[in-house]
Each structure stands twice: as C-alpha cells, then as structure tokens.
Amino acid sequence: MLGRMSELGGPKDDVVRRWWPLARGMDLVRAPADRVAALVASELERSSLPFERRLVHPASLEEVFATVPSFTNVPTTFFVLPGLHGWTVIWNNSFLCDGYDSLAYNLTRLHGVDTLHFTSSDTDGPMLAGTSFTWRDGAAAGEPSRSVHCASGGLAWSFHATGRPLPGEDLAVYASSPVRARLDEEKLSRLLATMGAAPWREAFYDFTAPIQRLDRIALPSSITSRPIGAILGRGAAAEATGELPEGPPEYVRAHVHAPRWDGPAALLRDGSWCGHGEPAFSIFDVREPSGEGATVELPVAPAERGAGAPLVRVGHVIAYDARHHPASSFETTSLAAPTRPFACPRCAGARFHAAVGFEIPADAGSNVDTTWFAIAIECVACAWSDLVWEDETA
C-alpha cells in the first residue's frame, strides 16, 4: 500500500497547486463511494436541508473544481469522489477551504464508518497556516480516536495531540523545533500514504466511475457566497506576506497569547463567525496568569450610540473596546455601555477560559482596523462552552 502511494510522487499534483487552496481541507471516508453519497444525503435530510443529488462525469480534478463557480460560508455543494484502497473523498465548496469536520463526526457517530478529516497548508489563506487531522474509528461512536494540530495562531505556532497514535505517525518529529516543523503538508502526505490515501494526487481517484454531486437548494439568506476568483491564489507564504497587520489590537496585546485548540478557541477556528466573510482573521486566548479562569462581563444589551460603546471584560482585562476601532461608529464615543457578569447556563458558574477573534479586512492598515469581533468561553466548573457575544466593528 505504501509502495503504491510512493509511486505517485510528492504531496501535490500541479492541478491541486493551480487551484489552491480549494483542496486545503477534505474528508476521507473508508467506505464505497455509493454508500458515502447515500450517507451524506441522509445527513442533509436529517438536518432538513433540501438538496439535489445527481451523477456527474468529471474526467479530472480540474473539472471538479471548475464546475463550482461560487463558494459559500457553509458547504452547499459536495462531490463524493471514489479513491483507491477503499477510500472515498468528500470535497465541498466552503470558502474557508477547511473540509467539514462535523460531517465526518456524524458519519462515524451515526453510521459507523472510519473517517479522517484534515486541513493542511504551509501558507496562510484563507485561514492561518497549519496542519491538523482527526481520525475517527468507526467503532468509537464518533469521538476522535486521534487528533493532531500544528497551527499558527498569529503570534506563535502551537502543537497539540490527543488519542492513540496511528501506526504511520513519525512521533519523533513531534519534538522538533521550531514547532511549525512538527507537522506540515509533506509530513501529513507521508502519513496518509501509509494508510493508502493520497487526496492531493489525481492518480488516487477513479474518474472512470460515475461521481455523485449533492447541491443544497433554496438557500437561506444567512448563506453568503463569493466567486471562485476571490478564493484562488490566497496562499502567500505565512512568514512573508506583509499584507495584513500581525498580532492583536494594541490595547489587548499584552493580555493575550496563542490559542490552544482544545479550549474555547476551537469554536472560533473555522471563521464562520466572521460577519463580513473576510478570509483573514486572528484568534487569541485571553491570558490568565492563574490558569483558573476569570469572570466575563458582556454588554447588557445591543449598544446604541447614546448608551455608550460596547466593552467586553475578562477578569480585569478589557478584551474588546469598540472605541479603539476606527471603522466602528463608536470610535468617537467617550462613554462605555454597561456590562453584566455572565453566568454559565448549565451550572451557574462564574469563571471561564476565554478566546477572542478579530476579523481582518483585506485593506486593513493597522491592528485595530477590524470588521468583526467574537468571544468564545468555556466554563471552568463544568466545561460548557459556546460563542457568547459578537460585534460588528465596520
């Protein structure tokens, strides 16, 4: 199996490079393509999402990518692609290009199939550079059997691994320095090859077989779209872009650090909270010297100009202040809107770990030039977590 994958060469074919970052994230299912298509259809039906399912006959990955003219904030088009060695690949049209981890979770949880969700890019765009994979064994009720994340958080790279290592993992490299060298496109491709998969190589797919495409129809107004041209070519080198301001807004810089993806930052990671649909955003954990969590104070009600600018506090830290953001209508406001301590809806706990996200427009000129803010928290007492407040800053 490894020998056959080695014949395919490096990690990416030219067609994948030309259409990058469309294949940055994908989902692999160990089951025949017909069954996988039926399972995807059943998940859309279970979620009451109307869709059209049809057979198509693309002759290449080029034709797969080229037949999807627009990309959306949540997946609305799914291609179910038969591959070698019993694998089927699900590719979708999310403009975040990050696969569909919750779909993989439900395919394993409800239907007992092995799944492997991955997202990997050595360059920024549309999300920050990084590589992660989640393997779910069909016998494990959907819970991750193995997850490894190695990703840029804007300020620094972080690495986290849970579960039992897969047989093909090179565990020695996980002690490498710098952190970003521990898992990347090349190393992920090598690991997938040991499992008989090469989703970035065209020879891995069987284009002689009919391929199933599922398209959601009657889309709600909450779904936003972008032309494919707005997605392509956003993969400039992570350490050499120089296009967007680095780091968090100055007023909160001393109080945040790179996110841990096993905490509340995970709720912000896919960027679906970005209200303007910008492809760039930054995520940070709010620093807690004690590590025991802190109180969280949120605006009492949606702020109006006369009521003062919205503020968010995490302990003694002002994690968000609309008055510091030049595109906000509150920039010239002197008053701050009243806040109220947040209580956990599950256990009434008052201490939380917190992560914040800032959406960054393409023409940003400074660290405070943002378009959206969001905060996600996790209760220290019972581990309840959610995205609890967000605000438009432009």
Side-chain angles (χ1 to χ4, degrees), residues 2 41 44-45 85 163 217 219 284 311 329 347 360 391:
L2 176 57
L44 292 172
E45 291 170 348
H85 307 302
I217 56 178
L219 302 180
F284 309 96
L311 266 68
S329 62
C347 73
I360 306 170
D391 189 45

Side-chain angles (χ1 to χ4, degrees), residues 237-263:
E239 62 272 15
T241 59
E243 297 178 359
L244 296 173
E246 295 183 0
E250 198 66 37
Y251 67 89
V252 75
R253 180 185 296 272
H255 307 291
V256 299
H257 56 88
R260 287 181 57 90
W261 298 119
D262 58 346

Side-chain angles (χ1 to χ4, degrees), residues 5-13 17 186 189 198 200-201:
M5 290 298 106
S6 299
E7 295 171 12
L8 298 180
K12 284 191 265 186
D13 274 348
R17 296 179 188 278
E186 178 70 36
S189 295
W200 290 338
R201 304 310 307 264

